[in-house]
Amino acid sequence: MRAARLIKMVLLLQSCPSMTAAELARELEVSERTVTRDAQALSEAGVPVYADRGRAGGYRLIGGYRTRLTGLARSEAEALFLSGVPGALREMGLDDVASAARLKVSAALLPSLRDAPDSAAQRFHLDAPAWFREPETPALLPVIAEAVWDDRRIGAVYRRGDTVVERDLEPYGLVLKAGVWYLCARVGDGGAFRTYRIDRFGAAEARAERFSRDPEFDLPRYWAEQAERFARSILHAEVVVRLSQAGVRRLPYAVDPASAREALAGSGAPDAEGWVTVTLPVESEEVAHTQLTALGPEAEVLAPESLRERFMRDAVRLGALYGR
């Protein structure tokens, strides 16, 4: 642990011209007294750490010293590619390796480029969760993430509806979708690929044995196919809707965008008033009522009759409210 901290201290000083004891203590998560002892240990080991006294003082490396300890470990290199997703890194327990990777890269940069990481961070930030949601990090995410990185099998207990099942899984990849974590895994030894919500795992334990990854597996492609299949699988009903031109523009924002595009592509020519009639696949009449309400007077439900009657009742109630 101390050796890793000493290396990190050297890399910090190599990345910055000078750092105070307080700044180093904050970065290394130790006391200023520990920083002083570490600086002395580095000096005794031949690393030219110099301490400037006074108000503007601090620690710095002298003589243009540069460490050769900038080679990235595999885990650090992998984490570096996720460094634009700090929340996800923290939840997976990869904060430390990502920090070490960024320090090593910064230390290897020319002095004129040392501000590149901060410059990029001020220009791009990913906030994955949807609005008005405070997602909770699944307690088992770090365990599962470690198994994914190491290609280790996991034994898991998974809750599916009212039943609980035990699974032996080959964890291939993690997906963060709208603040919810999913595991894409292969069942057993060479079985089918399936998708699991991580917050539904009741238990998960990484096995000692590793598995051989299928070289044909492509996580982005797999997820895109599964997401499209899921979206289509829940669309069990159809409604016929007449839309104004404003309704046409707003439809993809009110319902599943792919379903909206498909419905609009199959619509006929506008009528004399410029309205178009579409047949729209929906999850259920209840869901369609909620979604199409967002279109207000820009949509008229033609079928089924039961849904049309819902909107007629809504119209009567709204007229009573606003006609007072």
Side-chain angles (χ1 to χ4, degrees), residues 30-51:
V30 295
S31 66
E32 293 185 31
R33 181 174 297 180
T34 298
V35 168
T36 302
R37 288 198 298 265
D38 286 351
Q40 183 177 353
L42 286 171
S43 181
E44 292 173 354
V47 178
V49 178
Y50 181 77

PDB file of all heavy atoms in Angstrom, residues 30-51:
ATOM      1  N   VAL A  30      -4.126  11.076   2.934  1.00  0.00           N
ATOM      2  CA  VAL A  30      -3.337  10.828   4.146  1.00  0.00           C
ATOM      3  C   VAL A  30      -3.163  12.158   4.868  1.00  0.00           C
ATOM      4  O   VAL A  30      -3.609  13.204   4.400  1.00  0.00           O
ATOM      5  CB  VAL A  30      -1.952  10.220   3.811  1.00  0.00           C
ATOM      6  CG1 VAL A  30      -2.105   8.840   3.179  1.00  0.00           C
ATOM      7  CG2 VAL A  30      -1.153  11.136   2.893  1.00  0.00           C
ATOM      8  N   SER A  31      -2.474  12.134   6.007  1.00  0.00           N
ATOM      9  CA  SER A  31      -2.208  13.370   6.739  1.00  0.00           C
ATOM     10  C   SER A  31      -0.972  14.066   6.168  1.00  0.00           C
ATOM     11  O   SER A  31      -0.170  13.460   5.450  1.00  0.00           O
ATOM     12  CB  SER A  31      -1.972  13.053   8.217  1.00  0.00           C
ATOM     13  OG  SER A  31      -0.770  12.300   8.370  1.00  0.00           O
ATOM     14  N   GLU A  32      -0.822  15.355   6.506  1.00  0.00           N
ATOM     15  CA  GLU A  32       0.350  16.107   6.055  1.00  0.00           C
ATOM     16  C   GLU A  32       1.630  15.532   6.676  1.00  0.00           C
ATOM     17  O   GLU A  32       2.701  15.575   6.057  1.00  0.00           O
ATOM     18  CB  GLU A  32       0.191  17.591   6.394  1.00  0.00           C
ATOM     19  CG  GLU A  32      -0.927  18.269   5.615  1.00  0.00           C
ATOM     20  CD  GLU A  32      -0.989  19.761   5.861  1.00  0.00           C
ATOM     21  OE1 GLU A  32       0.073  20.379   6.115  1.00  0.00           O
ATOM     22  OE2 GLU A  32      -2.102  20.334   5.807  1.00  0.00           O
ATOM     23  N   ARG A  33       1.510  14.997   7.874  1.00  0.00           N
ATOM     24  CA  ARG A  33       2.682  14.389   8.507  1.00  0.00           C
ATOM     25  C   ARG A  33       3.144  13.174   7.703  1.00  0.00           C
ATOM     26  O   ARG A  33       4.335  12.943   7.522  1.00  0.00           O
ATOM     27  CB  ARG A  33       2.344  13.987   9.941  1.00  0.00           C
ATOM     28  CG  ARG A  33       3.505  13.366  10.699  1.00  0.00           C
ATOM     29  CD  ARG A  33       3.164  13.135  12.147  1.00  0.00           C
ATOM     30  NE  ARG A  33       2.882  14.383  12.833  1.00  0.00           N
ATOM     31  CZ  ARG A  33       2.547  14.465  14.119  1.00  0.00           C
ATOM     32  NH1 ARG A  33       2.440  13.353  14.844  1.00  0.00           N
ATOM     33  NH2 ARG A  33       2.320  15.627  14.683  1.00  0.00           N
ATOM     34  N   THR A  34       2.172  12.390   7.199  1.00  0.00           N
ATOM     35  CA  THR A  34       2.523  11.228   6.370  1.00  0.00           C
ATOM     36  C   THR A  34       3.180  11.678   5.080  1.00  0.00           C
ATOM     37  O   THR A  34       4.120  11.048   4.591  1.00  0.00           O
ATOM     38  CB  THR A  34       1.258  10.400   6.058  1.00  0.00           C
ATOM     39  OG1 THR A  34       0.707   9.927   7.281  1.00  0.00           O
ATOM     40  CG2 THR A  34       1.583   9.220   5.159  1.00  0.00           C
ATOM     41  N   VAL A  35       2.704  12.793   4.509  1.00  0.00           N
ATOM     42  CA  VAL A  35       3.325  13.340   3.297  1.00  0.00           C
ATOM     43  C   VAL A  35       4.785  13.679   3.564  1.00  0.00           C
ATOM     44  O   VAL A  35       5.674  13.379   2.752  1.00  0.00           O
ATOM     45  CB  VAL A  35       2.553  14.588   2.812  1.00  0.00           C
ATOM     46  CG1 VAL A  35       3.350  15.327   1.736  1.00  0.00           C
ATOM     47  CG2 VAL A  35       1.184  14.196   2.278  1.00  0.00           C
ATOM     48  N   THR A  36       5.051  14.282   4.700  1.00  0.00           N
ATOM     49  CA  THR A  36       6.434  14.636   5.062  1.00  0.00           C
ATOM     50  C   THR A  36       7.309  13.388   5.165  1.00  0.00           C
ATOM     51  O   THR A  36       8.438  13.351   4.650  1.00  0.00           O
ATOM     52  CB  THR A  36       6.457  15.404   6.397  1.00  0.00           C
ATOM     53  OG1 THR A  36       5.652  16.579   6.273  1.00  0.00           O
ATOM     54  CG2 THR A  36       7.878  15.786   6.777  1.00  0.00           C
ATOM     55  N   ARG A  37       6.783  12.338   5.817  1.00  0.00           N
ATOM     56  CA  ARG A  37       7.548  11.100   5.946  1.00  0.00           C
ATOM     57  C   ARG A  37       7.769  10.442   4.585  1.00  0.00           C
ATOM     58  O   ARG A  37       8.857   9.935   4.302  1.00  0.00           O
ATOM     59  CB  ARG A  37       6.835  10.136   6.895  1.00  0.00           C
ATOM     60  CG  ARG A  37       6.881  10.549   8.358  1.00  0.00           C
ATOM     61  CD  ARG A  37       6.560   9.360   9.265  1.00  0.00           C
ATOM     62  NE  ARG A  37       5.207   8.871   9.019  1.00  0.00           N
ATOM     63  CZ  ARG A  37       4.138   9.235   9.720  1.00  0.00           C
ATOM     64  NH1 ARG A  37       4.277  10.116  10.717  1.00  0.00           N
ATOM     65  NH2 ARG A  37       2.942   8.747   9.459  1.00  0.00           N
ATOM     66  N   ASP A  38       6.744  10.478   3.726  1.00  0.00           N
ATOM     67  CA  ASP A  38       6.888   9.872   2.405  1.00  0.00           C
ATOM     68  C   ASP A  38       7.907  10.622   1.560  1.00  0.00           C
ATOM     69  O   ASP A  38       8.688  10.007   0.809  1.00  0.00           O
ATOM     70  CB  ASP A  38       5.536   9.845   1.688  1.00  0.00           C
ATOM     71  CG  ASP A  38       4.600   8.795   2.258  1.00  0.00           C
ATOM     72  OD1 ASP A  38       5.060   7.980   3.090  1.00  0.00           O
ATOM     73  OD2 ASP A  38       3.418   8.774   1.868  1.00  0.00           O
ATOM     74  N   ALA A  39       7.904  11.950   1.652  1.00  0.00           N
ATOM     75  CA  ALA A  39       8.871  12.751   0.892  1.00  0.00           C
ATOM     76  C   ALA A  39      10.296  12.422   1.336  1.00  0.00           C
ATOM     77  O   ALA A  39      11.213  12.317   0.518  1.00  0.00           O
ATOM     78  CB  ALA A  39       8.573  14.239   1.065  1.00  0.00           C
ATOM     79  N   GLN A  40      10.475  12.235   2.636  1.00  0.00           N
ATOM     80  CA  GLN A  40      11.800  11.878   3.152  1.00  0.00           C
ATOM     81  C   GLN A  40      12.207  10.490   2.666  1.00  0.00           C
ATOM     82  O   GLN A  40      13.358  10.268   2.283  1.00  0.00           O
ATOM     83  CB  GLN A  40      11.788  11.921   4.676  1.00  0.00           C
ATOM     84  CG  GLN A  40      13.151  11.637   5.307  1.00  0.00           C
ATOM     85  CD  GLN A  40      13.127  11.750   6.828  1.00  0.00           C
ATOM     86  OE1 GLN A  40      12.125  12.168   7.397  1.00  0.00           O
ATOM     87  NE2 GLN A  40      14.220  11.386   7.478  1.00  0.00           N
ATOM     88  N   ALA A  41      11.245   9.559   2.626  1.00  0.00           N
ATOM     89  CA  ALA A  41      11.544   8.209   2.158  1.00  0.00           C
ATOM     90  C   ALA A  41      11.935   8.223   0.691  1.00  0.00           C
ATOM     91  O   ALA A  41      12.866   7.507   0.268  1.00  0.00           O
ATOM     92  CB  ALA A  41      10.329   7.306   2.372  1.00  0.00           C
ATOM     93  N   LEU A  42      11.256   9.040  -0.103  1.00  0.00           N
ATOM     94  CA  LEU A  42      11.600   9.134  -1.527  1.00  0.00           C
ATOM     95  C   LEU A  42      12.989   9.728  -1.709  1.00  0.00           C
ATOM     96  O   LEU A  42      13.773   9.263  -2.548  1.00  0.00           O
ATOM     97  CB  LEU A  42      10.560   9.998  -2.255  1.00  0.00           C
ATOM     98  CG  LEU A  42       9.185   9.357  -2.488  1.00  0.00           C
ATOM     99  CD1 LEU A  42       8.203  10.388  -3.013  1.00  0.00           C
ATOM    100  CD2 LEU A  42       9.297   8.195  -3.473  1.00  0.00           C
ATOM    101  N   SER A  43      13.287  10.740  -0.931  1.00  0.00           N
ATOM    102  CA  SER A  43      14.602  11.374  -1.016  1.00  0.00           C
ATOM    103  C   SER A  43      15.712  10.386  -0.662  1.00  0.00           C
ATOM    104  O   SER A  43      16.753  10.322  -1.328  1.00  0.00           O
ATOM    105  CB  SER A  43      14.645  12.588  -0.094  1.00  0.00           C
ATOM    106  OG  SER A  43      15.898  13.229  -0.174  1.00  0.00           O
ATOM    107  N   GLU A  44      15.491   9.578   0.384  1.00  0.00           N
ATOM    108  CA  GLU A  44      16.487   8.584   0.788  1.00  0.00           C
ATOM    109  C   GLU A  44      16.647   7.484  -0.255  1.00  0.00           C
ATOM    110  O   GLU A  44      17.708   6.864  -0.364  1.00  0.00           O
ATOM    111  CB  GLU A  44      16.070   7.975   2.127  1.00  0.00           C
ATOM    112  CG  GLU A  44      16.154   8.959   3.293  1.00  0.00           C
ATOM    113  CD  GLU A  44      15.577   8.385   4.581  1.00  0.00           C
ATOM    114  OE1 GLU A  44      15.018   7.263   4.516  1.00  0.00           O
ATOM    115  OE2 GLU A  44      15.673   9.040   5.632  1.00  0.00           O
ATOM    116  N   ALA A  45      15.573   7.283  -1.063  1.00  0.00           N
ATOM    117  CA  ALA A  45      15.632   6.265  -2.116  1.00  0.00           C
ATOM    118  C   ALA A  45      16.235   6.804  -3.405  1.00  0.00           C
ATOM    119  O   ALA A  45      16.337   6.070  -4.395  1.00  0.00           O
ATOM    120  CB  ALA A  45      14.230   5.730  -2.389  1.00  0.00           C
ATOM    121  N   GLY A  46      16.634   8.080  -3.407  1.00  0.00           N
ATOM    122  CA  GLY A  46      17.282   8.637  -4.584  1.00  0.00           C
ATOM    123  C   GLY A  46      16.385   9.465  -5.477  1.00  0.00           C
ATOM    124  O   GLY A  46      16.835   9.945  -6.525  1.00  0.00           O
ATOM    125  N   VAL A  47      15.115   9.636  -5.095  1.00  0.00           N
ATOM    126  CA  VAL A  47      14.213  10.480  -5.888  1.00  0.00           C
ATOM    127  C   VAL A  47      14.392  11.913  -5.396  1.00  0.00           C
ATOM    128  O   VAL A  47      14.179  12.194  -4.211  1.00  0.00           O
ATOM    129  CB  VAL A  47      12.746  10.037  -5.716  1.00  0.00           C
ATOM    130  CG1 VAL A  47      11.820  10.955  -6.511  1.00  0.00           C
ATOM    131  CG2 VAL A  47      12.576   8.596  -6.174  1.00  0.00           C
ATOM    132  N   PRO A  48      14.776  12.845  -6.288  1.00  0.00           N
ATOM    133  CA  PRO A  48      15.109  14.216  -5.846  1.00  0.00           C
ATOM    134  C   PRO A  48      13.882  15.065  -5.518  1.00  0.00           C
ATOM    135  O   PRO A  48      13.492  15.952  -6.271  1.00  0.00           O
ATOM    136  CB  PRO A  48      15.884  14.781  -7.038  1.00  0.00           C
ATOM    137  CG  PRO A  48      15.315  14.068  -8.222  1.00  0.00           C
ATOM    138  CD  PRO A  48      14.999  12.682  -7.737  1.00  0.00           C
ATOM    139  N   VAL A  49      13.242  14.765  -4.370  1.00  0.00           N
ATOM    140  CA  VAL A  49      12.111  15.559  -3.908  1.00  0.00           C
ATOM    141  C   VAL A  49      12.663  16.695  -3.061  1.00  0.00           C
ATOM    142  O   VAL A  49      13.422  16.470  -2.105  1.00  0.00           O
ATOM    143  CB  VAL A  49      11.134  14.702  -3.076  1.00  0.00           C
ATOM    144  CG1 VAL A  49       9.993  15.572  -2.561  1.00  0.00           C
ATOM    145  CG2 VAL A  49      10.577  13.561  -3.911  1.00  0.00           C
ATOM    146  N   TYR A  50      12.279  17.934  -3.407  1.00  0.00           N
ATOM    147  CA  TYR A  50      12.781  19.095  -2.700  1.00  0.00           C
ATOM    148  C   TYR A  50      11.618  19.827  -2.055  1.00  0.00           C
ATOM    149  O   TYR A  50      10.558  20.007  -2.669  1.00  0.00           O
ATOM    150  CB  TYR A  50      13.512  20.031  -3.666  1.00  0.00           C
ATOM    151  CG  TYR A  50      14.082  21.268  -3.010  1.00  0.00           C
ATOM    152  CD1 TYR A  50      15.254  21.199  -2.254  1.00  0.00           C
ATOM    153  CD2 TYR A  50      13.436  22.494  -3.131  1.00  0.00           C
ATOM    154  CE1 TYR A  50      15.771  22.332  -1.655  1.00  0.00           C
ATOM    155  CE2 TYR A  50      13.946  23.625  -2.530  1.00  0.00           C
ATOM    156  CZ  TYR A  50      15.108  23.535  -1.788  1.00  0.00           C
ATOM    157  OH  TYR A  50      15.622  24.665  -1.179  1.00  0.00           O
ATOM    158  N   ALA A  51      11.795  20.253  -0.806  1.00  0.00           N
ATOM    159  CA  ALA A  51      10.749  20.978  -0.077  1.00  0.00           C
ATOM    160  C   ALA A  51      11.101  22.444  -0.004  1.00  0.00           C
ATOM    161  O   ALA A  51      12.154  22.816   0.553  1.00  0.00           O
ATOM    162  CB  ALA A  51      10.582  20.399   1.319  1.00  0.00           C
TER     163      ALA A  51
END
